[in-house]
Amino acid sequence: MTYPDFNQTIPIDEIGVNERVARLNSRSIKKGSKVQALKLALSMIDHTTLEGSDSPGKVRQLCKKAKQPYPAMPDLPTVAAVCVYPRLVGIAKQELKGTDINVASVATSFPSGQVPLSNRLDDTRFAVEEGADEIDMVISRGAFLNGEFSLVFDEIAAVKEACGEAHLKVILETGELQTLENVRKASDIAMHAGADFIKTSTGKVSPAATQPVTLVMLEAIRDYYYKTDKMIGMKPAGGIRTAKQAIQYLVLVKETLGAAWLNKHYFRFGASSLTNDILMQIVKQETGQYQSLNYFSND
Amino acid sequence: MSNTETKDVPYKPTSPNSKLDFASVWEYAPAPQDSDFAEVKEKYDLFIDGKFVKPSKGRYFKSTNPANEEVITEFAEATQKDVDKAVKAARKAFEGEWSRISAKERGKYIYRIARMIQERAREFAILESMDGGKPIRESRDVDIPLVAAYFFYYAGWADKLEYAFPGKQPEPLGVCGQIIPWNFPLLMLAWKIAPALATGNTVVLKPAETTSLTALKFAELVKDCGLPDGVVNIVTGAGQTGAEIVNHKDVDKIAFTGSTKVGKLIQSSLAGTDKKYTLELGGKGAMLIFEDAPIDQAVEGIINAIYFNQGHVCCAGSRLLVQEGIADKVIQKLKDRLATLIVGDPLDKNTDVGAINSKEQFETVNKYLELGVEEGADIYQCDCKVPDNGYFIRPTLFTNVSQSNRIVQEEIFGPVLTVQTFRTAEEGIEKTNNTPYGLANGVWTDKGSKIFKVGSKMRSGVIWANTYNKFDPTSPFGGYKESGVGREGGMHGLAAYIKN
């Protein structure tokens, strides 16, 4: 494969991006297509807990929720993955044994990545050894903003190698990248360096995922697909709390990349409170009535 | 992902030209706009001197919904006698009450019209889509909000005219005959009536025969808002009715928007009279996409330029000129984007492209599609679903065309785009200007200086940079060459309604 010159910038018109997002948001999703979208979104969630206070008990609860989101409706899809810190991967793996729910782990000294590369690689290897199916790494934003694109590229490639069989999601932390052009450039670097997924944010920096940023990343994925025939996945993370937002994201995916990306193998939501809002909407669609949030378990 | 799981994933289509699939997996359910509350009468009379009156010959003509070919209502056919009555009513109002009230009071009436349009916005949007075939998304989000904006804008000028024309005592012309087209029925009405009233004129307006419904709804609104009788008169009918207005001896000004062919007829019948006139006619807008343009946003701009309102836009960007190096990429992206356009029921909230306005126009566009193929161009249409009834045409693009092709030279007024390439800026500009028209063009580049360098050499009344089909009441609009005479909108639009 030929690698692009990452010193060249691909122009992105922010006004145009915002207009496109606004137009996509005007799609009216009703009835059957809404229920289908809600279930699809549920199946794409990386159910996440990334707190300093996370405990084995909390992770076990999280896994139970992942397996059975709403016991009153046993036919609902499970979420795609549970996302935890490396130290808790083993617990999650054990809890999710026998299911097709993956264990994802943030590694590479999440969320800042501010330790030597060797430590970040160790972090990655540890998570993989513990049984992580997917690794969510962070890029060196400082190096990126400093124009050291080769360094960023090489680090991603090194982490990819450390991942072995595990799938690699590369977090660009778009809230720190300042411009949509930088988002585009970081996406291109990550995909060429071996990312299986590109992901917007850690959730620890504001703004986290936004629709304009996601659209730019989806368009980068599309261009990469046109060029290489290879499908890269997309994961917006952070700030997506409502079912309505989730459906808007699905519309973005559907009309930018099409049907092949509308599954958990190519699209994920990184979120913690989204699950319950989606469940609430599904129950509303099935019964005609809204339930209070008290009826949905908070884990 | 675990290894067992990835096996059942359809990983990728292998052909390098593989198109993206936008149709399967998840489809949008119909999302029809509730239209029951929009009242349509069985038949509409003429609106003259503040009252709805029957046409003198008692003749009515049918109006159909182009999306299902069903008759919606009937409009009265105004003959010479009716037009004369309308002009007399306008003259009486002009010499009477309308001239006596203060400019500030005049402004208040226009403000009231603007607010009432906002209050009835949804009803107007629904009727506009039913009668004309444009998607509700556009009539709701573009047409009707702009109608209100134009009235608001000109309402503000009513008592400030001496600031628009310093050192002058602006005087109204008198009775204005206004003839408007079918592509933006209510918006064109606003472009005509708002500046005319702000400057103190009275009007006789004829909407297009296929889309008169919202003009008559507007007449009801005029009645409700208490505007003095005869200030606004609305007569319906076809070309003959228009001719009666143009040739009426007591009309002081003609404002026409429509085809270049009819524009030329009007101009020749006005020769030798002292009637003032403005003509806003056809166009064949070009879009110049440079290699340094933001391509995905440019593609979106192209979609808005040519498929907005089914391409029934006089300033539509119907000619795409792409710089060689990126031509393949742009065409590939355009084709994928076409696949996501939803063509169908104008009253569905998800519809992107509605129905062609009339059977006549449907046939015209189809003739051009055949002509393009005969001329040797490669035709590409999206394979989207199209309803069985109604006048629908798939969004189309022609590649492999040359400047001499008729589909490149002539205004099609439909969802049809031609794609050419250029190597240097000079070549692009030359192709842009090599047309009898000069209404609007667009330029896409990331480089600000290039926008000004290229833009200043384009011969058209409007130039959009990195966008297309944007309208604002403060901005003048109008063309060069066969695209017309005079300007509408902004302060320039006021000048067309006052004495020199």
Side-chain angles (χ1 to χ4, degrees), chain A residues 20-31:
Chain A
R20 177 72 179 131
V21 166
R23 177 162 179 175
L24 288 166
N25 284 350
S26 75
R27 289 291 187 216
S28 176
I29 310 300
K30 303 278 181 214
K31 300 191 181 94

Side-chain angles (χ1 to χ4, degrees), chain B residues 62-73 126-134 210 345-347 355-358 389-392:
Chain B
K62 290 181 171 58
S63 182
T64 53
N65 178 340
N68 56 21
E69 300 170 58
E70 280 168 17
V71 175
I72 309 174
T73 183
I126 291 164
L127 297 177
E128 201 74 307
S129 286
M130 265 165 86
D131 201 24
K134 66 172 64 199
T210 57
D345 180 7
L347 283 176
I356 301 297
N357 186 272
S358 64
N389 295 324
Y391 313 128
F392 292 95

Side-chain angles (χ1 to χ4, degrees), chain A residues 3 117 121 137 150-164 168 170 189-190 192-195:
Chain A
Y3 293 97
L117 179 62
L121 294 176
M137 71 167 285
S150 306
L151 177 75
V152 175
F153 182 99
D154 291 344
E155 287 184 350
I156 296 169
V159 175
K160 170 73 179 168
E161 202 182 347
C163 280
L168 176 63
V170 179
I189 292 172
H192 284 92

Side-chain angles (χ1 to χ4, degrees), chain B residues 417-451:
Chain B
L417 177 72
T418 60
V419 187
Q420 297 168 271
T421 58
F422 67 94
R423 184 166 294 176
T424 62
E426 285 68 31
E427 188 191 348
I429 292 163
E430 197 192 322
K431 281 180 169 163
T432 301
N433 291 337
N434 183 8
T435 161
Y437 296 106
L439 192 51
N441 291 306
V443 54
W444 268 269
T445 166
D446 199 41
K447 203 169 175 186
S449 59
K450 201 186 278 178
I451 292 173

Side-chain angles (χ1 to χ4, degrees), chain A residues 13 19-20 23 27-28 33 36 100 102 133 165 222-223 225-226 229 231 254-255 258-259 266, chain B residues 1 3 5 11-12 14 18 21-22 25-26 28-29 137 296-297 304 332-333 336-337 350 352:
Chain A
D13 174 17
E19 277 184 1
R20 177 72 179 131
R23 177 162 179 175
R27 289 291 187 216
S28 176
S33 58
Q36 196 188 347
D100 60 0
N102 282 351
D133 306 290
E165 295 284 300
R222 183 169 62 188
D223 282 338
Y225 173 72
Y226 282 151
D229 248 358
M231 290 169 66
K254 176 183 161 66
E255 301 207 20
Y266 294 105
Chain B
M1 273 162 242
N3 293 329
E5 213 176 270
Y11 192 70
K12 58 172 187 188
T14 44
S18 53
D21 159 29
F22 295 99
V25 177
W26 178 41
Y28 304 145
R137 188 179 67 79
D296 287 308
Q297 289 80 54
N304 286 328
Q332 182 182 17
K333 289 187 173 208
D336 270 336
R337 180 66 179 89
N350 287 328
D352 294 308

Side-chain angles (χ1 to χ4, degrees), chain A residues 11-14 16-17 19-20 23 26-34 36-37 40 100-102 133-134 165-167 181 184 197 216 219-220 222-223 225-226 228-231 247 250-251 253-266 268, chain B residues 1-3 5-6 8-32 137-138 140-141 291-297 300 303-304 329 332-333 336-337 340-342 349-352 444 446 466-467 470:
Chain A
I12 308 273
D13 174 17
E14 194 178 338
V17 171
E19 277 184 1
R20 177 72 179 131
R23 177 162 179 175
S26 75
R27 289 291 187 216
S28 176
I29 310 300
K30 303 278 181 214
K31 300 191 181 94
S33 58
K34 184 173 182 181
Q36 196 188 347
L40 193 57
D100 60 0
I101 301 169
N102 282 351
D133 306 290
E134 306 172 4
E165 295 284 300
H167 270 221
E181 269 135 2
R184 170 66 198 234
F197 264 75
V216 168
E219 284 168 349
R222 183 169 62 188
D223 282 338
Y225 173 72
Y226 282 151
T228 65
D229 248 358
K230 233 179 109 184
M231 290 169 66
I247 293 175
L250 290 183
V251 169
V253 178
K254 176 183 161 66
E255 301 207 20
T256 308
L257 290 169
W261 271 262
L262 281 175
N263 57 61
K264 65 175 175 180
H265 306 296
Y266 294 105
R268 295 283 177 84
Chain B
M1 273 162 242
S2 69
N3 293 329
E5 213 176 270
T6 44
D8 58 7
V9 180
Y11 192 70
K12 58 172 187 188
T14 44
S15 144
N17 292 319
S18 53
K19 267 181 61 190
L20 297 167
D21 159 29
F22 295 99
S24 55
V25 177
W26 178 41
E27 279 186 74
Y28 304 145
R137 188 179 67 79
E138 290 174 9
R140 180 196 64 203
D141 297 345
E291 277 168 357
D292 57 5
I295 292 178
D296 287 308
Q297 289 80 54
E300 206 46 37
I303 296 289
N304 286 328
K329 205 192 259 179
Q332 182 182 17
K333 289 187 173 208
D336 270 336
R337 180 66 179 89
T340 63
L341 286 176
I342 300 173
K349 291 173 194 163
N350 287 328
T351 294
D352 294 308
W444 268 269
D446 199 41
N466 292 323
T467 188
K470 289 280 187 303

Side-chain angles (χ1 to χ4, degrees), chain B residues 69-360:
Chain B
E69 300 170 58
E70 280 168 17
V71 175
I72 309 174
T73 183
E74 292 185 1
F75 301 124
E77 186 189 316
T79 53
Q80 193 242 329
K81 220 170 144 187
D82 301 308
V83 169
D84 185 52
K85 218 160 104 186
V87 172
K88 283 199 171 107
R91 175 62 60 193
K92 196 179 85 195
F94 177 69
E95 284 169 359
E97 198 180 347
W98 194 239
S99 293
R100 282 197 297 271
I101 65 171
S102 69
K104 194 172 134 201
E105 288 304 312
R106 226 166 49 218
K108 277 183 172 173
Y109 278 114
I110 309 171
Y111 274 123
R112 194 180 302 165
I113 291 173
R115 285 195 304 272
M116 288 174 74
I117 283 166
Q118 286 185 319
E119 283 162 18
R120 302 181 190 184
R122 195 51 63 93
E123 189 182 12
F124 274 116
I126 291 164
L127 297 177
E128 201 74 307
S129 286
M130 265 165 86
D131 201 24
K134 66 172 64 199
I136 186 78
R137 188 179 67 79
E138 290 174 9
S139 49
R140 180 196 64 203
D141 297 345
V142 182
D143 288 57
I144 308 302
L146 274 174
V147 170
Y150 273 85
F151 277 107
F152 275 121
Y153 174 74
Y154 281 111
W157 274 120
D159 61 353
K160 303 175 195 70
L161 292 174
E162 51 271 40
Y163 297 99
F165 305 99
K168 212 170 167 184
Q169 288 268 304
E171 277 180 63
L173 295 169
V175 176
C176 303
Q178 307 180 318
I179 300 164
I180 59 171
W182 45 259
N183 56 344
F184 293 94
L186 196 63
L187 183 56
M188 291 300 109
L189 175 148
W191 282 30
K192 298 279 184 282
I193 291 185
L197 297 190
T199 43
N201 297 276
T202 57
V203 305
V204 175
L205 177 133
K206 185 194 89 67
E209 66 269 28
T210 57
T211 57
S212 302
L213 186 52
T214 46
L216 292 158
K217 275 276 165 189
F218 178 80
E220 290 175 2
L221 181 150
V222 162
K223 221 174 152 203
D224 294 347
C225 88
L227 193 73
D229 292 347
V231 173
V232 170
N233 302 276
I234 294 181
V235 291
T236 45
Q240 187 54 39
T241 309
E244 300 294 354
I245 297 176
V246 170
N247 296 320
H248 197 289
K249 294 216 161 46
D250 202 26
V251 168
D252 300 299
K253 183 219 156 87
I254 294 295
F256 171 78
T257 298
S259 70
T260 296
K261 199 174 123 204
V262 175
K264 284 179 176 173
L265 285 174
I266 291 177
Q267 207 170 19
S268 60
S269 43
L270 291 179
T273 73
D274 63 354
K275 288 175 194 168
K276 280 186 83 168
Y277 59 87
T278 45
L279 305 170
E280 204 267 272
L281 310 175
K284 193 74 183 172
M287 298 174 281
L288 231 50
I289 317 276
F290 284 92
E291 277 168 357
D292 57 5
I295 292 178
D296 287 308
Q297 289 80 54
V299 166
E300 206 46 37
I302 296 164
I303 296 289
N304 286 328
I306 184 62
Y307 304 116
F308 173 61
N309 199 29
Q310 297 74 248
H312 303 329
V313 187
C314 43
C315 53
S318 47
R319 292 183 293 145
L320 173 60
L321 298 168
V322 198
Q323 203 160 14
E324 267 175 352
I326 53 166
D328 289 345
K329 205 192 259 179
V330 169
I331 292 167
Q332 182 182 17
K333 289 187 173 208
L334 255 180
K335 286 179 174 175
D336 270 336
R337 180 66 179 89
L338 280 189
T340 63
L341 286 176
I342 300 173
V343 183
D345 180 7
L347 283 176
D348 189 299
K349 291 173 194 163
N350 287 328
T351 294
D352 294 308
V353 179
I356 301 297
N357 186 272
S358 64
K359 190 167 181 218
E360 195 191 350

Side-chain angles (χ1 to χ4, degrees), chain A residues 164-184:
Chain A
E165 295 284 300
H167 270 221
L168 176 63
K169 305 199 197 97
V170 179
I171 302 172
L172 311 180
E173 196 63 300
T174 53
E176 291 182 347
L177 296 185
Q178 317 298 334
T179 65
L180 291 176
E181 269 135 2
N182 278 345
V183 169
R184 170 66 198 234

